[in-house]
Amino acid sequence: MRVAIIGAGPAGLMAAEVLAAGGTRVDVFDAMPSAGRKFLMAGKGGLNITHAEPFEAFIERYGDSRPWVEPLLREFPPSRLREWMHGLGIESFVGTSGRVFPIEMKAAPLLRAWLHRLRQSGVRLHMRQRWLGWDESGALRLAHPEGESTHQADAVVLALGGGSWARLGSDGAWLPLLQQQGVAVAALQPSNCGFECAWSDFLKTRFAGQPIKPVVVQFGEQRVQGELMLTDDGLEGGAIYALASRLRQAIAAQGEAWLTLDLLPAHAQDAVEHALKQGRGSRSLAEHLRRKLNLHGIKAALLRECLPAEAFTHAAQLAAGIKALRVRLLATRPMDEAISTAGGVMFGALDERLMLKNKPGVFCAGEMLDWDAPTGGYLLSACFASGYVAGQGALGFLHNTGRALTP
């Protein structure tokens, strides 16, 4: 029996490994010249493959997507992902924040070892092969440098990625192909992305590209301490990525979202106010803020940008602004700049093994599913887990039917 996998990222390769171990002939097709392009780029600054926090805390990070993602992660949890990586000869360590990295930090050694093992198990990789859907007989249509060809398979796993980083293969071109087949899909949207603000020319000229730290970012009841960077267009960084889903929803509903920054997270508001009320003599307010609170540079500039002038004449108002500075967000940055995307194949279109209900024998996995997660290992963990479940699902389908797919 033969299985075709479309997409050579983590989800597709994990499905390939499961299927090859089950004795199935596996062919992997990908539009790019080599496998795992986005995976390699994601690990360029250090491959954060998963997180070591307790499972119940881990699964909470998926927010509204938890009901769909949790069953996948229970079958292939973060602990098992680490064991799998160790089985490739890639040891891991846990960073101070709980993030899990390979010892060498990079994705390339892991991917090389993985591809070697897959090839040894009989998995065949076919690169520069772009999936175009199905022909009238039910065969897969594939475009390649020599033209177009078809491929017959007894089951198919689609692991085509999302819609960000098109240059690395995740261009979302598959979405209309599935819509034509009557598959329910949600529009792709940027996730783990930057947000636009209407900065003044002064702020952009002087401070674009500078980090804001330490800082705690809050939206609603959710508070996140992490990285934040001021850009020409607005804000980006891990702290705001963790809130991206809710911020995106607020902007869609109201046309804007108000983010709150705690510029001095180690100081209580009454302590800040007390410091501001102390006599400053002939010193300027800027110098007073620097001396008493070590607040200067980009943080001081943000206060001037976002607070009304009268706030600087009242210690209580200024202290409140320092501890809860409201920043107006107007839009997400373009999808192709995002680390990942939300939207895709709706879980209602799939059974519990990730098979399309209206196309028996066709399974979906990875970022093309309609789920959302922050960075920190959560994205990759769910991609690996969904590939594992889809691979197991395809095996079960083949064993139960024992025959080829019908058109």
Side-chain angles (χ1 to χ4, degrees):
M1 290 183 286
R2 300 180 301 172
V3 178
I5 295 174
I6 312 297
L13 295 180
M14 180 54 74
E17 182 161 2
V18 170
L19 284 155
T24 303
R25 176 179 168 180
V26 181
D27 289 278
V28 179
F29 301 90
D30 195 283
M32 301 305 289
S34 58
R37 285 293 184 96
K38 188 174 178 181
F39 181 64
L40 288 172
M41 181 61 74
K44 191 173 183 180
L47 179 64
N48 176 199
I49 197 163
T50 189
H51 203 286
E53 65 190 337
F55 186 81
E56 286 305 317
F58 185 93
I59 198 65
E60 284 291 333
R61 307 292 186 179
Y62 293 87
D64 294 342
S65 301
R66 174 176 177 168
W68 310 110
V69 178
E70 183 173 359
L72 311 179
L73 287 166
R74 288 199 178 276
E75 289 206 38
F76 197 80
S79 58
R80 190 168 177 186
L81 176 55
R82 292 184 70 185
E83 292 169 3
W84 169 84
M85 185 167 62
H86 298 162
L88 287 169
I90 307 294
E91 294 301 316
S92 63
F93 72 95
V94 180
T96 55
S97 64
R99 297 183 178 194
V100 177
F101 301 88
I103 290 291
E104 294 179 303
M105 293 294 288
K106 303 298 184 182
L110 187 155
L111 184 60
R112 281 196 299 269
W114 193 10
L115 291 174
H116 177 71
R117 188 165 76 183
L118 287 170
R119 289 187 176 104
Q120 284 190 320
S121 70
V123 173
R124 302 191 303 176
L125 277 78
H126 311 270
M127 311 313 297
R128 294 189 173 90
Q129 304 269 337
R130 178 173 291 276
W131 180 61
L132 301 177
W134 292 271
D135 69 9
E136 292 180 356
S137 72
L140 298 167
R141 293 176 55 210
L142 297 160
H144 44 78
E146 291 75 35
E148 186 177 324
S149 60
T150 60
H151 182 84
Q152 289 282 359
D154 301 310
V156 177
V157 177
L158 302 177
L160 289 150
S164 64
W165 297 13
R167 69 189 185 281
L168 301 178
S170 296
D171 58 10
W174 52 266
L175 195 143
L177 298 177
L178 291 185
Q179 285 180 311
Q180 292 165 14
Q181 298 291 320
V183 176
V185 295
L188 298 177
Q189 302 177 75
S191 182
N192 291 295
C193 59
F195 286 81
E196 296 183 358
C197 306
W199 298 139
S200 66
D201 289 339
F202 170 79
L203 192 69
K204 289 190 289 188
T205 302
R206 291 286 302 274
F207 297 102
Q210 292 192 23
I212 307 166
K213 60 180 185 180
V215 67
V216 169
V217 179
Q218 181 169 353
F219 184 69
E221 298 301 314
Q222 190 175 357
R223 288 171 59 86
V224 179
Q225 183 162 356
E227 304 168 359
L228 199 61
M229 180 79 69
L230 191 141
T231 69
D232 280 333
D233 305 295
L235 293 169
E236 63 179 38
I240 202 168
Y241 297 163
L243 301 171
S245 177
R246 295 182 62 200
L247 291 170
R248 186 181 64 241
Q249 292 170 16
I251 291 172
Q254 303 156 20
E256 62 182 15
W258 287 90
L259 192 68
T260 300
L261 307 183
D262 182 348
L263 299 179
L264 293 176
H267 296 67
Q269 185 169 327
D270 56 356
V272 173
E273 184 176 342
H274 176 73
L276 292 172
K277 286 180 176 178
Q278 294 180 22
R280 57 187 173 93
S282 61
R283 292 195 302 270
S284 66
L285 177 59
E287 180 64 13
H288 190 59
L289 289 170
R290 187 187 68 80
R291 287 197 179 191
K292 292 295 183 180
L293 296 169
N294 194 30
L295 198 157
H296 56 92
I298 190 170
K299 289 186 176 182
L302 275 170
L303 289 175
R304 293 289 182 184
E305 182 84 6
C306 299
L307 289 180
E310 59 267 23
F312 294 90
T313 62
H314 297 88
Q317 288 184 40
L318 183 53
I322 291 169
K323 291 295 293 177
L325 186 66
R326 283 166 52 82
V327 178
R328 185 179 179 225
L329 308 181
L330 301 173
T332 60
R333 291 295 298 154
M335 188 160 61
D336 202 47
E337 294 180 12
I339 292 174
S340 62
T341 50
V345 177
M346 295 182 179
F347 280 90
L350 303 161
D351 69 10
E352 70 279 0
R353 309 310 297 170
L354 300 182
M355 184 172 74
L356 288 171
K357 293 176 181 177
N358 72 340
K359 289 192 74 65
V362 179
F363 298 78
C364 298
E367 201 183 324
M368 69 181 294
L369 302 179
D370 183 19
W371 57 277
D372 205 353
T375 56
Y378 306 103
L379 278 164
L380 278 175
S381 290
C383 284
F384 278 101
S386 64
Y388 177 84
V389 171
Q392 292 286 355
L395 275 180
F397 172 81
L398 293 171
H399 291 158
N400 287 335
T401 61
R403 58 181 174 79
L405 292 179
T406 56

